């Protein structure tokens, strides 16, 4: 029955967290402490439930031990009273003892109608919770933890026996508590006995014999009791050593040597067997510990080794164990001894389990943060552990302790270490904490007065630039680097500023470089060769990086004018000079190449979009019809010389003076080509007119032109041209034939334009004296066909209205027709080729079309 009770209490390790709402409200512990979730169980029969909590006033983390009285309801009244008395006595005794390896009580025992409760330092678990096959893997103990924990128990027991003169009497897995820092602490002083003076002066501990009439949970556990208690009724510190041996066996094998429950007679038989050195199998025990363990389990108390002797065995000579043991006694060392230890710690930390580093080593290290001279020795170890931690572990266990250190600038090694591990800090620290703590550390490093720190910060900054927010880089980091470069008097700092900026260029965008970085280079007044070469490096990176690429305009206006004076600075070596010149040449080459390509593209676009004028079109068409123009020179039309060459109406027309000697078609073609090549009085326009407008203009402006001064050489267009209307006749003139001529007087008296494009009041009157053969006429100088024939009689020039061939009316064939001017010798005989009736109808239709056009449309076409 008793065994079932014990097993039931063992099973509470895995039970659901109980609700404290009906247990603790009446307990005074709840006034000062906030109770959270249950973490473990401890004490005799694991009756104490341990909860996480914190003190309401200071937020200090604690563990709250709670015993619920309702658990005793199944027992008899006498047993309940004895059990409660045992629990009260154990906590009271624990409160009196102060030692690093004895559980520390933060708040004494408080009792209410429903519970007993007290508060202690934060607790991880009891040893019974982490020993055995049913323990979760994340709670199983590492070998180094077991060895270090046993050493801690040795120290705690040594203090009890030698200093406090107390025998624990119940050393077992339930009464060993592991705190948050994974230190093993003595607990469960329910059955402890203090020494009493004897007659001979020796220490004496009275023995209380085991009684079957008392509840099993109200007496020490028989599984851990020494055999001399049952056989000889002797109780001594060596009895605790036997219990310690059973504990070691239980840790490695998962259970004690033998289970007795409340069967005291069975325990006595077992004690007799131990007198004969009959031990169970120890296959699970490490080989270097077996002999010492058998010595601890020796039936004779005098044959058991002392605690200080056990510390010297090989089992405890592990490097990790020694490291953890040194940390336990760290408060006894001076700064010189501590510094030596901390220097070697980075080689040991990687060899230890991460949980050991995080929970056993780190707490001792962060305590040194209050010792300013030791921070440079401790901080690398803390950051090494952080490097092995997850972000959650880092935030919970490390970041809180680093925040005050971020603000320190003395000793300067602190900033040095942080700069070297800045990538780690930025990776693990949450974004909000980075803005609040890490980046200000970076800014302080750039703004400090020590060049060593400034140079170090500038050197390591580019290595983690991709982890810095872009806005912080643009608005905080870059401006501080620029300010430091401009204000520092140290050339090395200036050079490092420029080198740092050069390395940061790849993480910046094009516009930030163009707007902030390149103009900043012009502000640097120093001209030391090292600074100049750093500037050249920035320009080189900015020019060659495809993402940043300096434009040709920036190079032409800003870069090259700034770089040229640097070539002639004193102190440059030939290699440095060559580097600067090579960069300038490269920039100039790029400017030249890009500008040439741009101009060629613009020229091509302008050529493709430029409109063709009438002379170009005529030259092209005439070249096509060269074979059929053999005799056309004799039939060239001519007009009087009285037409002003600067008239708006004729600004786009060609002027061909008549010549008596142009009898060959080749001479006519030569004259027309010459006129085209000289670009004389072209028609220029920006957009092609509509076909109907152009057709009307052709048929109205090219009909019936005649030469009044030379009736015998009246103008007759070729078969490819439409009927011509004389624009110089009055509206009332009766023009019925293209061959009809007019006298000079009639032509002069009726000086009105039939072309609506030319306003009559704007036309100048022709010269009255047209009969004179004066070769010094004002238009002679403008005659492109007069050539050197000065002996020819002065005649009025013939105005040829030349239009693109594709816009001819349907009544007559244009220049673009296949017939294209059969012969210039037949130009005076146009009438037989075109019926007179059809010509008159065509003329009437053209005049009608012309009248319907607005003056603005026609002017738009000609302009």
């Amino acid at each position: 029955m008793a065994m079932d009770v014990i097993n039931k209490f063992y099973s509470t390790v895995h039970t659901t967290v109980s609700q404290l709402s009906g247990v603790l409200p009446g307990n005074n512990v709840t006034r000062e402490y906030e109770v959270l979730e249950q973490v473990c169980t401890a004490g005799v029969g694991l009756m104490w439930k341990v909860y996480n909590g914190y003190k309401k006033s200071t937020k200090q983390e604690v563990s709250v031990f709670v015993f619920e009285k309702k658990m005793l309801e199944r027992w008899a009244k006498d047993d309940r009273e004895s059990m409660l008395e045992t629990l009260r006595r154990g906590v009271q005794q624990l409160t009196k003892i102060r030692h690093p390896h004895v559980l520390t009580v933060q708040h004494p025992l408080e009792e209410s109608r429903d519970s007993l409760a007290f508060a202690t330092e934060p607790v991880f678990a009891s040893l019974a919770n982490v020993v055995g096959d049913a323990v979760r893997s994340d709670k199983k103990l590492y070998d180094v933890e077991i060895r270090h924990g046993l050493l801690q128990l040795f120290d705690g027991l040594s203090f009890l026996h030698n200093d406090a003169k107390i025998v624990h009497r119940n050393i077992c897995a339930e009464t060993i508590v592991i705190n948050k820092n994974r230190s093993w602490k003595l607990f469960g002083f329910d059955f402890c006995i203090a020494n009493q003076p004897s007659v001979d002066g020796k220490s004496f501990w009275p023995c209380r014999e085991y009684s079957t009439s008392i509840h099993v949970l109200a007496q020490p556990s028989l599984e851990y009791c020494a055999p001399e208690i049952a056989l000889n009724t002797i109780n001594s510190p060596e009895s605790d050593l036997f219990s310690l041996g059973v504990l070691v066996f239980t840790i490695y094998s998962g259970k004690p040597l033998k289970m007795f429950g409340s069967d005291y007679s069975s325990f006595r038989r077992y004690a007799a067997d131990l007198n004969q050195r009959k031990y169970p199998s120890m296959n699970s025990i490490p080989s270097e510990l077996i002999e010492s363990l058998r010595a601890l389990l020796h039936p004779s108390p005098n044959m058991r080794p002392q605690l200080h002797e056990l510390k010297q065995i090989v089992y405890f000579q592990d490097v990790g164990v020694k490291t953890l043991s040194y940390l336990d006694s760290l408060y006894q060392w001076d700064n010189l001894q501590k510094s030596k230890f901390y220097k070697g710690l980075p080689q040991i930390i990687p060899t230890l389990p991460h949980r050991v580093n995080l929970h056993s080593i780190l707490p001792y290290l962060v305590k040194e943060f209050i010792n300013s001279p030791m921070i440079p020795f401790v901080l690398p170890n803390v950051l090494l552990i952080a490097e092995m931690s997850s972000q959650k572990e880092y935030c919970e266990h490390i970041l809180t302790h680093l925040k005050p250190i971020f603000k320190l600038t003395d000793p300067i090694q602190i900033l040095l270490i942080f700069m070297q591990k800045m990538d780690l800090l930025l990776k693990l620290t949450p974004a909000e904490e980075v803005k609040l703590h890490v980046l200000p550390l970076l800014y302080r490093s750039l703004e400090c007065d020590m060049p060593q720190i400034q140079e170090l910060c500038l050197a390591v900054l580019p290595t983690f630039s991709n982890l810095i927010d872009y806005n912080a880089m643009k608005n905080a980091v870059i401006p501080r680097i620029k300010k430091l470069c401009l204000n520092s008097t140290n050339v090395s700092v200036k050079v490092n500023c420029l080198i740092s900026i050069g390395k940061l260029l790849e993480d910046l965008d094009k516009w930030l470089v163009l707007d902030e970085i390149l103009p900043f280079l012009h502000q640097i007044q120093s001209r030391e060769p090292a600074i100049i070469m750093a500037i050249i490096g920035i320009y080189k990176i900015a020019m060659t990086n495809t993402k940043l690429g300096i434009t040709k305009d920036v190079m032409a206006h800003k870069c090259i004018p700034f770089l040229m004076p640097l070539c002639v600075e004193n102190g440059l070596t030939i290699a440095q000079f060559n580097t600067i010149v090579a960069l300038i040449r490269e920039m100039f080459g790029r400017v030249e190449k890009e500008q040439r390509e741009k101009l060629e593209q613009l020229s091509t676009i302008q050529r493709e979009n430029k409109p063709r004028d009438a002379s170009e079109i005529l030259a092209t068409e005439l070249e096509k019809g060269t074979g059929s123009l053999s005799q056309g020179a004799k039939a060239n039309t001519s007009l009087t010389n009285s037409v002003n060459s600067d008239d708006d109406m004729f600004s786009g027309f060609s002027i061909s003076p008549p010549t008596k000697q142009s009898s060959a078609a080749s001479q006519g073609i030569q004259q027309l080509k010459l006129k085209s090549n000289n670009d004389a009085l072209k028609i220029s326009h920006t957009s092609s007119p509509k076909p109907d407008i152009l057709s009307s203009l052709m048929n109205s402006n090219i009909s019936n032109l005649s030469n009044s001064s030379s009736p015998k050489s009246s103008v007759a267009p070729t078969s490819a041209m439409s009927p011509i209307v004389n624009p110089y006749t009055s509206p009332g003139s009766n023009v019925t034939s293209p061959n009809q001529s007019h006298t000079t007087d009639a032509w002069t008296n009726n000086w009105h334009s039939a072309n609506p494009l030319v306003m009559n009041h704007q036309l100048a009157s022709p010269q009255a004296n047209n009969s004179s053969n004066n070769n010094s006429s004002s238009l002679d100088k403008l005659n492109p066909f007069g050539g050197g024939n000065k002996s020819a009689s002065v005649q009025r020039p013939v105005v040829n209205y030349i239009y693109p061939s594709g816009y001819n009316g349907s009544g007559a064939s244009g220049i673009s027709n296949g017939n294209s001017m059969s012969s210039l010798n037949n130009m005076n005989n146009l009438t037989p080729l075109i019926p007179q009736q059809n010509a008159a109808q065509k003329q009437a239709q053209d005049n009608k079309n012309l009248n319907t056009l607005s003056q603005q449309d026609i002017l738009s076409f000609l302009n």
Side-chain angles (χ1 to χ4, degrees), residues 219-395:
Q219 299 183 86
S221 175
L222 289 178
E223 284 79 8
Y224 291 87
C225 283
E228 65 269 17
I229 295 176
L231 298 178
N232 304 322
T233 317
I234 297 175
N235 194 32
S236 65
E238 285 73 18
S239 301
D240 283 345
L241 295 182
F242 181 90
S243 299
L244 184 62
V246 179
L247 177 65
V248 173
F249 184 88
T250 303
I251 291 172
Y252 279 103
S253 63
K255 58 184 179 180
L257 296 173
K258 193 172 182 178
M259 300 296 295
F260 303 106
S262 60
D263 190 353
Y264 187 66
S265 59
S266 178
F267 172 72
R268 289 179 62 88
R269 290 192 299 271
Y270 167 72
D273 292 340
L274 286 179
N275 268 336
Q276 301 176 11
R277 308 296 299 273
K278 294 180 180 179
Y279 299 110
S281 176
M282 295 186 180
N283 295 331
S284 59
I285 309 300
S287 58
E288 63 268 25
L289 186 59
I290 292 178
E291 291 299 326
S292 298
L293 179 56
R294 287 179 177 175
L296 286 173
L297 296 176
H298 199 281
S300 175
N302 297 329
M303 299 300 294
R304 295 168 192 158
Q306 296 298 311
L307 292 174
H308 66 87
E309 296 174 353
L310 289 174
K311 290 183 179 181
Q312 307 302 320
I313 64 175
V314 178
Y315 175 78
F316 295 108
Q317 302 308 310
D318 181 76
V319 175
V321 176
K322 283 188 174 183
T323 300
L324 295 175
S325 298
Y326 289 155
L327 290 171
D328 287 339
S329 58
L330 201 60
Y331 62 91
Q332 302 173 359
W333 300 358
D334 57 25
N335 284 348
L336 181 60
Q337 292 174 318
K338 290 179 180 179
S339 64
K340 291 180 180 179
F341 171 73
Y342 290 137
K343 285 180 180 178
L345 192 56
Q347 285 75 41
I348 300 173
I349 288 177
T351 64
L352 299 175
H354 176 59
R355 188 176 70 192
V356 175
N357 292 325
L358 194 63
H359 298 290
S360 299
I361 294 181
L362 181 65
Y364 290 100
L365 298 179
V366 296
K367 288 179 181 178
E368 286 290 344
F369 284 163
I370 61 174
N371 186 3
S372 180
M374 285 292 101
I375 294 179
F377 300 98
V378 174
L379 190 56
N381 297 292
V382 173
L383 296 178
L384 179 59
I385 296 174
E387 193 171 352
M388 302 164 59
S389 306
S390 65
Q391 186 174 26
K392 180 180 179 181
E393 293 171 338
Y394 169 79
C395 295

Side-chain angles (χ1 to χ4, degrees), residues 107-119:
H107 188 88
L109 182 68
E110 297 282 358
E111 183 173 1
S112 66
R113 184 183 64 180
D114 299 316
S115 63
L116 300 175
F118 65 100

Side-chain angles (χ1 to χ4, degrees), residues 721-834:
M721 304 295 291
S722 300
I724 300 175
V725 178
N726 191 347
Y728 305 109
T729 60
S730 63
S733 302
N734 184 17
V735 181
T736 60
S737 172
N739 297 325
Q740 185 176 354
S741 62
H742 298 273
T743 61
T744 302
D745 295 336
W747 184 82
T748 304
N749 293 333
N750 296 299
W751 178 247
H752 293 283
S753 175
N755 193 335
L757 300 178
V758 182
M759 304 302 293
N760 290 327
H761 67 277
Q762 295 175 349
L763 295 175
S765 299
Q767 296 294 331
N769 188 11
N770 290 324
S771 60
S772 175
N773 293 333
N774 186 8
N775 292 335
S776 301
S777 174
S778 61
L779 289 178
D780 288 347
K781 298 179 182 181
L782 301 178
N783 183 7
F785 303 104
N789 189 5
K790 298 181 179 180
S791 62
S793 60
V794 177
Q795 298 178 353
R796 298 184 185 276
V798 177
V799 179
N800 294 330
Y801 294 81
I802 300 171
Y803 289 89
S805 60
Y807 294 94
N808 290 335
S810 59
S813 300
I815 295 178
S816 62
N817 246 338
N819 296 329
S820 66
M821 305 177 69
S822 61
S823 175
L824 290 179
N825 292 329
N826 297 326
M827 292 182 66
N828 293 326
N829 300 322
L830 182 62
T831 303
L833 297 178
I834 302 176

